[in-house]
Amino acid sequence: MKKLVLLGNEAIAQGAIDSGLSGAFGYPGTPSTEIIEYIQRSPEAEERKIHKIWSANEKTAMEEALGMSYAGKRVLVTMKHVGLNVAADAFMNSALTGANGGIIVAVADDPSMHSSQNEQDSRVYGKFAMMNILEPSNQQEAYDMQRYGFELSEKFNLPVLLRITTRLSHSRADVVRGELLSENKLSMPKDPNQFMLLPAFARVKYKKLLALQPEYDKVSEESPFNNFTDGKDKSVGIIACGLAYNYLMENYQDNECLHPILKISHYPIPRKMVEKITSECDSILVLEEGMPLIEEMLKGYLGNPLNIKGRLDGTVPRDGELNPTIVRKALGLGQFKSNPIPEIVEKRPPALCRGCPHIDSYKALNTSLEKYGKGHVFSDIGCYTLGFLPPYNAISTCVDMGASITMAVGAASAGLFPSVAVIGDSTFGHSGLTGLLDAVTHKSNVVIIIVDNDTTAMTGMQDSVVTGMIEDICEGIGVEKEHIRIFNPLPNKHDENVKIIEEEINYNGVSVIIPRRPCIHVIGKNKKAGGKK
Amino acid sequence: MKKDIILSGVGGQGILSIATIIGYAAVENEMFLKQAEVHGMSQRGGDVQSHLRISDNKIYSDLIAEGKADLIIAVEPMEALRYLPYLCTDGWMITNTKPYINIPNYPDIESVIAKIDEQPKKVSLDADMIAKEIGTVKCMNMVMLGAASPYLDLPVEKLKEGIRTVFGRKGEKIVNMNLEAFDSGRKAAENK
Ligand SMILES: Cc1ncc(C[n+]2csc(CCOP(=O)(O)OP(=O)(O)O)c2C)c(N)n1
Ligand code: SF4
């Protein structure tokens, strides 16, 4: 079969399509977004009517996937690492219900926080939920792990977590396709109570999950993705996980590595292999992308007598992503000669585009709030977060999706006036609705500004689920109609927009203001396929 | 043959098309490829780079180690300098000299060019100007690809085929304009 050149994310998508996928559910988030975007563009997916519409958020996506699995079909769930926090309730409990049709939960972590608020390591969640975790080291493995993952999921009737990180998500390489599998037939769970977690059932299911653990160990011991390569020099043994394995091997392109190497891409960690390498070697270097998960397990609470090097002892930096240079240093190999960045080079942070509608919303807001001083605006996550930067300096907070409205409610309850929230349309659909309901039921004195640019801009122009419905939603939730105001954020409308904001600040209750103008990259451009029209 | 290339510029300047075309030519030439890109927040006018690696042998890392790049191809002069730690000591820097100024503290352009001129092996040209002469500044990236082409050790015909593939669906006129941009860039580099 012809080779394809695919991003890691695209390899996951193609692998899933080729392995009998019936549906993909997810919410955009860098670095995971291209998985579903690829499925949305795929003619095969279109022809087979694979489900591929974005969900409102990661939790709804995970639950929809559970429903598809209940009906016996293979399903993929995608999200970025912090999305798993949103989906965590469904995710954790899915370890107890298990799967009927195979479930792969593909989560993309972002160490070094290229586009994220934190760098949490999803493997910790996988361990927490006691699931099998697959961590591909390259694009081919990302492809191959779909078939393997679905089979594993159906073998144990449990979801499988697939963890990738930014560099694999967004790096292309050639991938050879495998055999094409057909989709599962619709079939209910054999056990009609499989997805019933009343305590009496849950207790039984939890014991079953615990009893499965020794079997997991066996599977990971025999996994094609874990392997041990012996070496003569036992002064150091190297454990390398996922992508870290590539950075390791990069340093031995021209000369053989003399140290024993254990590559881990399937967890739980293969116990016998770990015992072998630790008993034979004087010290162990652990190379893992993200948090020192394996390193901590090997050290144990008391720091066992093994000589373990890694992120905890400073051999590798405690935070941030790995790269071949860092790994080279950890291996004690000499660095290559090169020149430093000249001092004149300045940072070039991302910024709002020229002509962006958010600019005019912030200008109007700044004028309206001038007399109250700084610190009154709670914001959220999206392009509009860049309004924090000069010259706007318009917002004070960005915590997690949806937190603008709820933090404004909390601050208003504490007596802060004015208390303003700025949230994007997609973020509002993701997790603003419930916060708005709180604002209404708490009768909060807040002004909520929903900046509607007709798209999910920050992650690359996906459809936003609330487009065309925002006013109706707000009214339905209980915001008074006369306090739902819409304006067009344009420079020549500055004064009237300022007046609208001031009026709503002076209203003692919940106001919603919707500045509405499409993102300049949306105008005149057909939006990407897959979403609603 | 093995080439490790850093492509750099500002989000929106079109470095990914350069990467795609080199990648196309390499794969058509039966080579292995790895191409790490930047997606996400930096695409909003921030600095962006792509690590492009092509080789006759299997490639492990998606990222190039510091001091190992054979080539920097930059569509913006300050962005050429940002990746200097990656360039091996006898590597080539191929850069556009036209600054893209979207920050208030952009350094004095003369001193940026002076730093570039300190490079022992460099090709620098005003690719924006050449592109404008051809028709539109949008094909500046193909001027830069043309300027870099003598240093890629890839058949020119394959690179041009890549241009036809990438721009094909935009019509014959756009394809020809980009091919012309490529030729002009190549000529400019050869005359340096
Ligand atoms: C829980 C979670 N899921 C996804 C993301 C990724 N993400 C960041 S901003 C954003 C979209 C914002 O869209 P919108 O609110 O419409 O604002 P815009 O970027 O269009 O201004 C997404 C999906 C995230 N940071 N956190
Ligand atoms: S992508 Fe759109 S919403 Fe984002 S900064 Fe640019 S114009 Fe504004």
Side-chain angles (χ1 to χ4, degrees), chain A residues 357 360-362 364-365 449 451-452 485-490 493-494 496-498 500-501 513-517:
Chain A
D360 298 302
S361 299
Y362 280 133
L365 181 62
I449 301 179
V451 283
D452 180 10
R485 313 282 299 268
I486 299 164
F487 69 66
N488 188 354
L490 277 173
K493 297 201 186 306
H494 178 80
E496 40 185 295
N497 295 344
V498 169
I500 291 174
I501 300 174
I513 300 174
I514 308 169
R516 176 168 289 146
R517 175 155 75 83

Side-chain angles (χ1 to χ4, degrees), chain A residues 27-30 58 80 82-86 115-117 358 381-385 400-401 423-428 430 451 453-459 462 464 519, chain B residues 44:
Chain A
Y27 182 74
T30 315
E58 295 85 353
K80 69 183 291 172
V82 287
L84 192 49
N85 298 330
V86 177
S115 298
S116 303
Q117 319 90 282
H358 298 328
I381 307 186
C383 281
Y384 52 94
T385 316
D400 64 79
M401 288 189 78
I423 185 167
D425 52 330
S426 183
T427 307
F428 179 67
H430 178 283
V451 283
N453 59 354
D454 196 26
T455 188
T456 314
M458 177 56 92
T459 45
Q462 296 78 24
S464 157
C519 158
Chain B
R44 304 270 160 274

Side-chain angles (χ1 to χ4, degrees), chain A residues 196-460:
Chain A
M196 172 50 66
L197 291 186
L198 272 169
F201 290 95
R203 283 190 284 268
V204 176
K205 289 176 198 296
Y206 186 46
K207 282 198 198 302
K208 205 174 126 199
L209 180 66
L210 293 172
L212 265 178
Q213 300 303 308
E215 289 212 41
Y216 278 9
D217 285 344
K218 234 172 82 197
V219 171
S220 96
E221 209 69 62
E222 289 159 8
S223 171
F225 301 107
N226 293 336
N227 44 59
F228 178 80
T229 317
D230 209 356
K232 282 193 293 256
D233 185 349
K234 314 264 186 204
S235 61
V236 186
I238 304 166
I239 297 180
C241 312
L243 204 51
Y245 177 73
N246 289 350
Y247 299 144
L248 171 67
M249 296 314 289
E250 178 70 20
N251 283 296
Y252 295 105
Q253 276 283 40
D254 307 320
N255 50 324
E256 193 192 347
C257 177
L258 299 177
H259 303 288
I261 298 173
L262 172 57
K263 167 184 177 275
I264 300 182
S265 282
H266 182 167
Y267 309 73
I269 55 172
R271 181 177 286 274
K272 286 199 192 114
M273 287 177 169
V274 171
E275 277 167 4
K276 179 172 164 64
I277 195 167
T278 51
S279 65
E280 287 177 2
C281 298
D282 303 335
S283 66
I284 296 289
L285 171 64
V286 185
L287 300 171
E288 49 192 330
E289 190 77 297
M291 295 178 163
L293 181 82
I294 291 189
E295 196 181 341
E296 273 179 349
M297 285 169 76
L298 294 186
K299 274 202 156 132
Y301 181 64
L302 295 173
N304 74 22
L306 293 172
N307 183 0
I308 306 234
K309 298 182 166 53
R311 290 195 185 263
L312 294 172
D313 77 335
T315 305
V316 178
R318 180 63 180 78
D319 62 334
E321 66 177 346
L322 300 175
N323 60 42
T325 307
I326 288 174
V327 169
R328 193 169 178 82
K329 234 174 251 169
L331 293 167
L333 302 172
Q335 298 294 303
F336 303 110
K337 265 213 271 184
S338 69
N339 293 306
I341 305 177
E343 268 172 30
I344 54 165
V345 174
E346 297 286 352
K347 288 206 167 68
R348 197 189 298 259
L352 292 170
C353 307
R354 274 177 219 150
C356 173
H358 298 328
I359 292 178
D360 298 302
S361 299
Y362 280 133
K363 283 187 175 161
L365 181 62
N366 279 349
T367 309
S368 313
L369 288 174
E370 214 156 38
K371 63 176 177 222
Y372 302 102
K374 289 278 169 207
H376 291 271
V377 185
F378 302 90
S379 192
D380 233 296
I381 307 186
C383 281
Y384 52 94
T385 316
L386 298 170
F388 169 76
L389 303 172
Y392 318 107
N393 306 107
I395 61 170
S396 298
T397 70
C398 156
V399 181
D400 64 79
M401 288 189 78
S404 56
I405 299 181
T406 34
M407 282 182 74
V409 168
S413 303
L416 184 76
F417 175 81
S419 186
V420 179
V422 175
I423 185 167
D425 52 330
S426 183
T427 307
F428 179 67
H430 178 283
S431 45
L433 275 60
T434 44
L436 182 60
L437 186 58
D438 278 356
V440 169
T441 55
H442 298 197
K443 297 192 170 38
S444 298
N445 187 10
V446 290
V447 176
I448 295 161
I449 301 179
I450 305 173
V451 283
D452 180 10
N453 59 354
D454 196 26
T455 188
T456 314
M458 177 56 92
T459 45

